Amino acid sequence: MGLKAGIVGLPNVGKSTLFNALTSAKAEAANYPFCTIDPNVGVVTVPDERLEMISKFVKPQKQVPTVMEFVDIAGLVAGASKGEGLGNQFLANIRETDAIIHVVRCFEDPNVVHVMGSVDPLRDIGTINTELILADLDSVDKRLKRIEKMAKTTTDVNLRAEYSITKKVAEALNRGEPARSVVPDETEAPFMKDLHLLTTKPVLYACNVAESEYTSEKSERVKLVEELAKSENNQCISICSSIEAEISQLPEGDRAEFLESLGMKEAGLNRLIRESYSLLNLVTYFTAGEKEVRAWTIRRGTKGPQAAAVIHTDFERGYIRAETYHCTDLFELKSESAIKEGGRYRSEGKEYVVKDGDVLLFRFNV
C-alpha cells in the first residue's frame, strides 16, 4: 500500500541507529546534528506468526509477508518551522509520511552530546511538537487569507465548509493544540484531509532508554512520556536502540539465545513494527494456496472489493464474492476441508468488511 512511518526527533536521540537496526540499512549514525540530510527509506517485513502457522497446514512453495516503509528523517531543531537547521526540507519529508515515530531520548551518556544541554524528554517533545504546530499554522493561515473574504459572502456550501474547518484548525493551532484535536463534521472532513497537515498524523513515542534500564523497571522519564502520550490519545513504547542494533547484527540462529540472556522474548523492534502497523490502523488478511501463502495489508474497515484491489484492480472491477474463513479456524480444525465440513467456510458479498486474520479467495469476472 506504500504506507510510510517517519522516524523523527531532535538530533542525537538515536533515530538513525534505530533505523539501521530496523532495516539493516547503513544510514550514517554519528555524534553530531544533521548527519542524515536526505531521508533514508527502508522497507521492513511486519512480524506475524500467523503466516508461519498457516503455512504449516497449507504447505506452500513460499511465504510472502506484508511490509511497511520507515523513513529516517534528519533531526529537527527549534526554529525548524522557520527554516533553521534545514528545517523546511525536513518538514517536507515528514509531510510525505502517514504516521510519526517520535524518538525521545531518555538516556544519559556523556559521550553523546544533547543539543539542548540536558536530557529532558517532555521539553524535547514540546520542541518538536511546537515546530510541527508552527509549520501547520503557517500553512493554514495562508489558506484562510485566500478564502476568508469569499467564504463570508458566498452561498457555496463547499467553500463555507472549507472555511469553517480551516478556521477551527487555525484556532486550535493558535492554542498550541495539534490539528488532530479538531473533529470535523461530515461536510468538513474532505477539506480537513486536503489541508495535509503535519499534526493530523498519528504519533508513536519511542522512548530510547539506556541498556541498564531496558529490561528493568520503567524510569521516571519514561513514565512521564507515557502519561503525555495517554493524554494525547497517542501510543508509547520503550526501546534501546543500541541493544536493537546489536541484535540486528547477530546471525539469525544466535538471536534467541541473546534475547533470552536479556530476559526478552522478542526483539523490541518487533513491537515497534507492530505498533507502527496498528498506529496506521492497518490489518492483515491472507491468501493461501499451493504456490504461496501471502499476507496483504489493508486499512481497518475495508470491504471485500477494495481489499481485492490490493492484489489487482481487476479483482475489484469484476468482484463477485469472497470465499473466506478465519485463520483461527484453520489452527483449530487443521485443514480447509475440515473447515468446510464444520460449516465455517463462508461466501461473502460486496458489503463484507474484511477482518484481521481472514483467509480469502476472491471470485471475479472481467
Side-chain angles (χ1 to χ4, degrees):
M1 293 183 67
L3 294 163
K4 296 181 181 179
I7 302 175
V8 306
L10 292 175
N12 297 348
V13 298
K15 300 183 308 303
S16 294
T17 303
L18 184 63
F19 175 83
N20 289 344
L22 269 170
T23 63
S24 296
K26 291 292 180 282
E28 183 183 1
N31 182 22
Y32 54 88
F34 315 124
C35 64
T36 310
I37 295 176
D38 294 318
N40 295 274
V41 180
V43 179
V44 303
T45 59
V46 177
D48 194 332
E49 62 182 9
R50 297 174 300 181
L51 187 69
E52 184 72 34
M53 293 171 69
I54 293 170
S55 298
K56 287 181 180 178
F57 299 107
V58 177
K59 296 180 172 54
Q61 295 173 23
K62 64 177 180 178
Q63 300 175 29
V64 183
T66 190
V67 299
M68 66 179 296
E69 288 186 20
F70 285 89
V71 185
D72 178 30
I73 297 170
L76 291 171
V77 295
S81 59
K82 303 299 181 184
E84 293 294 329
L86 305 179
N88 290 333
Q89 180 182 336
F90 300 159
L91 291 168
N93 293 333
I94 297 170
R95 204 177 299 279
E96 294 172 2
T97 65
D98 301 287
I100 293 173
I101 312 300
H102 187 159
V103 181
V104 185
R105 180 168 169 174
C106 292
F107 66 89
E108 294 279 0
D109 187 341
N111 297 315
V112 180
V113 176
H114 192 294
V115 292
M116 299 184 75
S118 62
V119 178
D120 184 340
L122 294 189
R123 178 204 60 206
D124 295 353
I125 289 170
T127 298
I128 297 293
N129 288 347
T130 296
E131 294 307 318
L132 299 182
I133 286 172
L134 288 173
D136 279 350
L137 187 58
D138 181 60
S139 174
V140 168
D141 280 346
K142 288 177 181 176
R143 181 167 293 208
L144 268 181
K145 288 177 182 177
R146 181 172 58 80
I147 66 173
E148 186 171 22
K149 190 172 182 179
M150 291 185 294
K152 288 182 176 180
T153 57
T154 188
T155 57
D156 186 328
V157 293
N158 288 329
L159 185 56
R160 291 175 72 90
E162 180 183 2
Y163 174 70
S164 174
I165 191 60
T166 306
K167 191 168 186 296
K168 289 177 185 176
V169 169
E171 290 169 351
L173 294 170
N174 274 307
R175 293 193 300 268
E177 299 171 2
R180 76 180 74 88
S181 65
V182 179
V183 180
D185 64 28
E186 190 174 335
T187 61
E188 296 169 339
F191 300 103
M192 176 80 162
K193 187 176 181 180
D194 285 345
L195 289 171
H196 301 293
L197 299 176
L198 301 169
T199 60
T200 57
K201 300 179 188 297
V203 176
L204 170 65
Y205 292 111
C207 295
N208 193 8
V209 302
E211 293 186 17
S212 59
E213 296 177 342
Y214 197 26
T215 56
S216 60
E217 289 292 319
K218 293 176 184 176
S219 70
E220 289 304 313
R221 287 172 177 153
V222 171
K223 290 177 182 177
L224 287 171
V225 178
E226 286 181 336
E227 289 173 8
L228 175 66
K230 187 176 180 181
S231 71
E232 297 177 341
N233 200 29
N234 284 320
Q235 299 297 316
C236 176
I237 66 168
S238 293
I239 202 149
C240 177
S241 59
S242 58
I243 287 180
E244 297 301 328
E246 188 173 351
I247 293 171
S248 70
Q249 296 301 313
L250 290 173
E252 194 71 36
D254 296 340
R255 293 182 184 181
E257 184 179 348
F258 182 74
L259 287 167
E260 187 178 350
S261 71
L262 296 173
M264 298 167 59
K265 293 182 178 179
E266 64 173 352
L269 291 180
N270 285 0
R271 287 188 296 111
L272 177 64
I273 295 168
R274 282 199 299 268
E275 288 290 345
S276 302
Y277 196 72
S278 175
L279 186 69
L280 289 166
N281 203 27
L282 305 177
V283 296
T284 299
Y285 76 83
F286 302 93
T287 52
E290 291 182 1
K291 288 188 176 180
E292 69 176 26
V293 170
R294 183 164 186 154
W296 302 89
T297 300
I298 56 172
R299 291 195 183 276
R300 190 178 300 277
T302 299
K303 294 182 179 180
Q306 290 70 50
V310 175
I311 300 176
H312 198 288
T313 53
D314 282 351
F315 283 28
E316 179 181 19
R317 186 159 56 90
Y319 187 92
I320 300 172
R321 66 182 184 275
E323 295 175 6
T324 182
Y325 58 89
H326 198 268
C327 64
T328 53
D329 296 328
L330 180 63
F331 305 154
E332 178 186 345
L333 300 176
K334 314 302 183 188
S335 70
E336 189 176 293
S337 59
I339 291 170
K340 290 178 178 177
E341 290 171 7
R344 299 190 196 179
Y345 195 89
R346 311 184 314 277
S347 180
E348 301 286 359
K350 293 182 178 180
E351 294 303 308
Y352 177 67
V353 176
V354 176
K355 296 177 178 59
D356 184 49
D358 275 352
V359 181
L360 295 164
L361 173 63
F362 294 110
R363 299 295 185 185
F364 68 102
N365 183 32
V366 290

